[in-house]
Amino acid sequence: MRRREFIAGLGSAAAWPGVARAQERPALPLVGWLGFGSSPEDSREAITAMKQGLAETGFVEGRNFAVEYRFADYHPERLPDLAADLVRRRVAVIFTSTTAATLAAKAATDTIPIVFQVVVDPVAFGLVASFNRPGGNITGVTNLLTLLAAKRLEVLHELVPAASLIAVLSNPNNPFTTFETKELEAAAGVLGVHLLIVNAAGPDEIGMAFATIAQQRAGALLVSSDGLFSNRYDQLIALAARHAMPTMYFFGAAPEAGGLMSYTSDVGETLGQAGRYVGRVLKGEKPADLPVQQATKVELVINLKTAKTLGITFPTSLLVRADRVIE
């Protein structure tokens, strides 16, 4: 063998151990994100909050975990297939932030851990056996936004007491819409107001819903708790301004972006809590041993600049109760 070929052979042999080590390097554990929206950009705030919770448990994307995203593009009928796909990908844990996605994940697997962040009572919807002892492969965090629906209507009525007809923007494809509507109807009966339920099942229907609300001369609008609406708050705020419609939102980002007001738990807090649970599951803890957590903080946020544009004066009774006032 000639000297040059011998040296080249030595170089190749020296490279093999490194190649073998790279091939043997274990793949990062996968977190499956089962979302209702259309893309990671569409849910960027929720994703950021969840990953912050993961970081607090020592997990950084790309270093010791990776994410597989699946989005239903606002079509709930797609969620079961997307959940099944995540199961086939053998993700380590599935994260969900809507009730429909959680139900789809639950139907797809009883072994892969599922961590949710939902707005409903997870016991009432059969997601867990109890708050303290979830049982099975599911746990998470609830902000119980549907239970705050009556209070949001009460605050909105206090702001515009002359509004005898209040519209409710609702997504008929949401599994807890009926539950929340019943809560609102009971509260409306006590307040002596009538509700106009207007449906929007996708982004392209929101504009038509506002046209109906204006046509029916509703005096105010309450946006029901749904991922479609929280993901499209810029569109909602623009339409509310165009129609000069006093609007109550269920998420704090809305008044910060120019919406009139919101009464809600801290969604960022609950997403962070859910992220910490995902991290604990990745470390080996079982969902059955992790009690369902609840939001502990509720905020009334008011945007006085928007109120001035609408010609609305907030009563002192609401201003003194506000947790944040944007001027």
Side-chain angles (χ1 to χ4, degrees):
M1 181 181 293
R2 285 180 291 189
R3 183 172 180 273
R4 183 179 300 172
E5 293 173 344
F6 177 74
I7 293 173
L10 286 177
S12 298
W16 273 109
V19 173
R21 283 193 296 270
Q23 290 175 339
E24 292 170 2
R25 186 179 300 157
L28 296 178
L30 291 176
V31 174
W33 178 288
L34 184 58
F36 184 63
S38 59
S39 68
E41 178 62 23
D42 195 31
S43 304
R44 63 187 181 280
E45 293 176 359
I47 291 171
T48 298
M50 191 273 284
K51 288 181 180 178
Q52 179 59 43
L54 267 162
E56 291 173 14
T57 61
F59 286 92
V60 178
E61 185 178 12
R63 189 175 73 189
N64 50 6
F65 83 95
V67 184
E68 280 280 330
Y69 293 103
R70 297 293 183 274
F71 288 96
D73 197 22
Y74 304 108
H75 292 278
E77 68 276 8
R78 298 177 183 174
L79 288 167
D81 287 342
L82 296 174
D85 188 45
L86 288 174
V87 172
R88 286 191 293 271
R89 290 283 292 125
R90 298 184 179 181
V91 297
V93 57
I94 298 174
F95 174 80
T96 64
S97 61
T98 68
T99 305
T102 310
L103 291 170
K106 183 177 187 292
T109 179
D110 58 5
T111 56
I112 295 176
I114 299 167
V115 175
F116 60 71
Q117 188 266 349
V118 295
V119 303
V120 299
D121 181 342
V123 177
F125 272 77
L127 297 174
V128 296
S130 71
F131 277 69
N132 290 331
R133 297 180 180 275
N137 62 318
I138 305 177
T139 189
V141 184
T142 177
N143 48 31
L144 297 176
L145 285 182
T146 51
L147 299 184
L148 297 175
K151 186 63 177 179
R152 287 198 297 273
L153 182 62
E154 178 185 322
V155 172
L156 183 58
H157 177 63
E158 187 174 346
L159 175 64
V160 283
S164 58
L165 179 65
I166 295 179
V168 177
L169 182 63
S170 177
N171 183 352
N173 292 332
N174 193 314
F176 64 79
T177 290
T178 301
F179 175 83
E180 187 175 45
T181 299
K182 288 181 179 178
E183 294 286 313
L184 289 170
E185 288 175 340
V190 173
L191 296 171
V193 300
H194 298 284
L195 297 183
L196 172 68
I197 308 298
V198 183
N199 291 327
D204 56 333
E205 296 182 15
I206 293 176
M208 293 184 290
F210 268 84
T212 299
I213 292 167
Q215 184 181 30
Q216 295 297 318
R217 299 183 182 278
L221 169 64
L222 185 147
V223 179
S224 65
S225 308
D226 186 87
L228 167 64
F229 305 136
S230 58
N231 285 342
R232 306 290 298 194
Y233 65 82
D234 287 340
Q235 182 183 6
L236 296 179
I237 292 168
L239 286 167
R242 183 186 307 168
H243 292 279
M245 181 64 61
T247 303
M248 165 66 83
Y249 299 88
F250 67 94
F251 44 96
E256 292 173 359
L260 179 63
M261 63 193 305
S262 67
Y263 185 77
T264 180
S265 59
D266 189 332
V267 177
E269 174 195 19
T270 56
L271 283 164
Q273 289 173 327
R276 288 190 287 275
Y277 261 15
V278 172
R280 291 174 67 176
V281 168
L282 289 176
K283 288 182 176 180
E285 293 190 61
K286 298 182 182 300
D289 300 328
L290 298 174
V292 174
Q293 298 185 46
Q294 299 182 61
T296 57
K297 184 179 180 182
V298 179
E299 285 188 329
L300 172 61
V301 183
I302 291 170
N303 189 315
L304 289 182
K305 183 178 179 181
T306 301
K308 183 178 180 180
T309 301
L310 294 173
I312 293 174
T313 300
F314 271 89
T316 304
S317 59
L318 283 179
L319 290 175
V320 297
R321 281 152 48 198
D323 298 279
R324 282 189 291 150
V325 176
I326 301 169
E327 300 187 60

